[in-house]
């Protein structure tokens, strides 16, 4: 057993914040010192239990730690008492009672976080031609007759055939409810019948006595690496009743996909552990949207699920190990039909669930849903569709052909691995502007329309930086000449601003200092800039590979899908170098396109058939084995790019020609070697 250090490393997920603390430090105290969003209504006395956390165990190569048994102190009497009286979920600890004993990874669940998450993956208002697979049929069933003996099910089938539904199957759990329903309804029943798009037999999924008018519901769920989004839809009208989201609890096993695959490889049973975690999160999220809509879970009779291949496999209980290396073989790339019982959900067991097909390798069902929603295969203009997330899916195509790839951008765009980063929640900075002359910043936070330089702005409400702000602030720093094309932050005297401060051997740019009021210091560090450079370079390199394969140097249109699509300005995305050069009026946001595609498939059998047809025609490009990926990646590290021209961007802005080369000013920090101004 590895000897534990005297100051063990404590890593919090999903924030990614970390620090070393003496043995015996309460987890709540460590969270407070690091600025982790962990609630504690009772001040750490073990009364409220709002500080519940989930410790993880095993090997975490991404974090460079192995969490041993005994990394936290044993349960104490306070936790025992609370568990006896009110109950603690399996694996949970109280942050105010559990103390650090060794290196540990701590997940802070959504319900223990002070600031409620803002759902960035809301449903759009797209018109969908309704043809749901699950419909209600109210039929009159002949009463039993001794002279013509037959079973109740057989007579129900006859009645349904008269209503246009033939050869209906009935699962045992539904069959158990048939006779009571028939008699209570005086031989009239309403059957919810699921009729698949592929011609397989229809199936009764629920029964009600008499004439039941519903409505019945379905869920469209996008299982992302970082966030899970759920849309509860009325299957008859197509209306979205409720949209909600939650953090994917698998983050505690690894922030990116390969970290999770590595966890499975290095920890026997790790795949089962992650499958259980994501299914429990799904179950909780579905219960939440049902509660918000004021309906019982028995009304939810169908669901469509999408996700990248690793999420797809772990959700289905499939070992993702083969996705950890070439040739990145999927257990199946076909659409999968199953039931709520198969997924362990607290819904009617026969409720029908459908998982869209994967495209190949690391391009999954979420990319298939994006292709369905955005339809590049129907575009006259060459269109680049970028679904930005921890694992970015990229499509490039027009009516002639469509190419697809994935690119491992990591979680930086979503606030993880960023010093002041956080999820989208009230108080998070979401918009940033920097005056090029004074280098002064102003910003806006989620939950307020007032900018920070205006009267009435509440400085005590600031909590950190969400993903949209991280992208904007670094682009603004480039526009203001605070960072150069290589991403280096200049020294205070070179930049001409007291907002730039020494930070070890590099510099940071201070957006907001709330420490005098008990708030956080929100700054952009050199490490933050590098994390974003790595993420955007991977994204751009993936797009360039598709352009190479297509044989083009320019694209005519760019669609920014995902949570960022609706919250990032095209200008800042292009200044940062996330996307290839394109006329800004041809860069559009699509919101949660994967969720929209899932909703289309939920509400239309024709859409399910269409997505299978589209996926069969998409050409897959595997970035991991493409020889030019590294070349494109290195060139794309520059802000916006080392060599690719940006004539459309040049028509909009002039980027300062500054350069902050490394040097030694006696303190071992970067200093300015030269600086020139834009003409």
């Amino acid at each position: 057993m590895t000897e534990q250090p005297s100051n063990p490393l404590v890593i919090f997920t999903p924030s990614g914040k970390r620090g070393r603390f003496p043995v015996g430090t309460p987890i709540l105290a460590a969270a407070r010192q690091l600025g982790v969003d962990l609630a504690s209504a009772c001040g750490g006395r073990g009364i409220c239990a709002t500080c519940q956390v989930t410790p993880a165990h095993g090997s975490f190569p991404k974090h460079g730690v192995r969490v041993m048994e005994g990394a936290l102190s044993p349960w104490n009497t306070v936790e025992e008492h609370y568990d006896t009286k009110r109950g603690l979920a399996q694996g949970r600890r109280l942050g105010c009672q559990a103390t650090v004993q060794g290196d540990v990874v701590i997940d802070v669940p959504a319900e223990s976080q002070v600031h409620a998450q803002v759902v960035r993956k809301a449903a759009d208002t797209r018109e969908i031609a309704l043809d749901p697979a699950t419909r209600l049929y109210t039929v009159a069933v002949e009463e039993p007759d001794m002279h013509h003996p037959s079973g109740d099910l057989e007579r129900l089938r006859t009645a349904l055939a008269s209503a246009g539904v033939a050869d209906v199957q009935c699962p045992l759990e539904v069959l158990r409810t048939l006779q009571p329903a028939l008699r209570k309804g005086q031989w009239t029943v309403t059957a919810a019948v699921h009729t698949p798009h592929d011609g397989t037999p229809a199936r009764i999924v629920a029964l009600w006595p008499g004439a039941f008018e519903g409505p019945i519901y379905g869920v469209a769920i996008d299982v992302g690496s970082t966030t899970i989004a759920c849309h509860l839809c009325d299957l008859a009208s197509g209306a979205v009743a409720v949209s909600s989201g939650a953090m994917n609890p698998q983050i505690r096993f690894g922030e990116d996909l390969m970290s999770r695959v590595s966890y499975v490889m290095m920890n026997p049973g790790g795949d089962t552990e992650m499958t259980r975690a994501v299914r429990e999160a799904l179950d909780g999220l579905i219960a939440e949207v049902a509660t918000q809509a004021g309906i019982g879970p028995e009304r939810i009779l169908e669901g469509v699920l999408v996700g990248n291949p690793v999420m797809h496999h772990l959700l289905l209980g499939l070992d993702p190990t083969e996705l950890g290396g070439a040739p990145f073989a999927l257990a199946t790339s076909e659409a999968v039909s199953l039931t709520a019982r198969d997924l362990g959900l607290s819904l009617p067991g026969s409720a029908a669930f459908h998982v869209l097909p994967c495209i190949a390798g690391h391009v999954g069902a979420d990319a298939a849903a994006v292709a369905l929603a955005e339809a590049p295969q129907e575009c006259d203009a060459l269109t680049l569709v970028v679904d930005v997330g921890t694992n970015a899916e990229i499509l490039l195509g027009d009516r002639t052909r469509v190419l697809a790839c994935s690119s491992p951008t990591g979680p930086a765009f979503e606030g993880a691995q960023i010093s002041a980063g956080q999820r989208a929640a009230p108080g998070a900075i979401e918009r940033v502007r920097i005056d090029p002359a004074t280098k002064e910043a102003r910003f806006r936070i989620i939950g307020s329309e007032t900018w920070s330089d205006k009267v009435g702005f509440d400085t005590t409400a600031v909590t950190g930086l969400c993903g949209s702000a991280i992208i904007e602030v670094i682009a603004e720093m480039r526009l203001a000449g605070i960072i150069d094309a290589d991403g280096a932050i200049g020294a205070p005297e070179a930049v001409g601003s007291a907002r730039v401060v020494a930070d070890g051997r590099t510099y940071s740019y201070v957006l907001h200092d709330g420490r005098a009021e008990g708030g956080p210091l929100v700054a952009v560090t050199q490490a933050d800039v590098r994390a974003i450079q790595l993420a955007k370079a991977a994204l751009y390199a993936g797009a360039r590979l598709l352009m190479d394969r297509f044989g083009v140097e320019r694209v005519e249109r760019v669609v920014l899908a995902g949570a960022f699509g609706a919250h990032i300005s095209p200008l800042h995305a292009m200044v940062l170098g996330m996307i290839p050069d394109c006329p800004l009026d041809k860069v559009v946001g699509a919101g949660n396109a994967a969720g929209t595609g899932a909703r289309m498939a939920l509400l239309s059998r024709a859409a399910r058939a269409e997505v299978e047809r589209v996926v069969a025609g998409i050409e897959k490009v595997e970035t991991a084995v493409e020889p030019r990926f590294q070349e494109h990646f290195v060139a794309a590290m520059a802000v916006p790019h080392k060599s690719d021209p940006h004539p459309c961007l040049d028509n909009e802005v002039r980027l300062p020609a500054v350069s902050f080369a490394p040097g030694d000013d006696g303190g071992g920090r970067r200093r300015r070697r030269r600086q020139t101004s834009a003409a």
Side-chain angles (χ1 to χ4, degrees), residues 393-435:
E393 286 80 28
I394 309 170
L395 301 168
L396 176 67
D398 56 19
R399 292 186 183 276
T400 65
R401 63 194 292 212
V402 177
L403 308 177
C405 74
S406 67
S407 207
T409 52
F413 284 144
E414 303 194 15
Q417 299 179 340
I418 301 298
S419 59
Q422 65 164 89
R423 61 205 170 87
I429 296 172
E430 64 170 343
R431 289 280 179 265
V432 179
R433 296 294 181 268
I434 299 176
D435 188 303

Side-chain angles (χ1 to χ4, degrees), residues 320-411:
T321 300
E322 292 299 323
L323 295 170
F328 311 106
L330 292 157
T332 180
S333 59
E334 296 179 350
V336 177
S337 294
L338 64 168
T339 66
R341 180 185 296 102
D342 296 328
L343 293 171
L345 301 176
S346 303
L347 297 175
S350 294
F353 275 75
H354 184 77
V355 185
L356 294 194
C358 293
I359 295 174
H362 282 290
V363 186
D366 51 353
V370 172
L372 176 63
E374 296 306 315
Q377 67 277 1
E378 298 176 9
C379 293
D380 293 320
L382 182 60
T383 299
L384 181 74
V385 183
V386 182
D387 190 359
V388 185
T390 305
N391 188 67
E393 286 80 28
I394 309 170
L395 301 168
L396 176 67
D398 56 19
R399 292 186 183 276
T400 65
R401 63 194 292 212
V402 177
L403 308 177
C405 74
S406 67
S407 207
T409 52

Side-chain angles (χ1 to χ4, degrees), residues 471-546:
I471 292 169
E472 287 198 5
V473 69
I474 294 177
E476 286 284 321
M477 289 169 70
R478 180 70 180 96
L479 287 168
I482 297 169
I483 63 172
D484 62 15
D486 291 328
I489 301 175
E493 63 274 15
V495 172
S497 172
R499 282 187 177 269
V500 177
V501 297
D503 186 5
R505 296 178 63 85
T506 58
Y507 298 98
S508 294
Y509 178 78
V510 177
L511 261 180
H512 170 74
D513 190 350
R515 290 176 294 183
E517 300 169 312
L521 172 67
V522 181
V524 180
T525 70
Q526 187 66 70
D528 295 338
V529 176
R530 292 291 182 242
I532 292 297
Q533 285 181 275
L534 290 168
K536 73 97 177 181
L539 185 63
Y540 193 100
R544 279 296 307 175
L545 282 180
L546 297 188

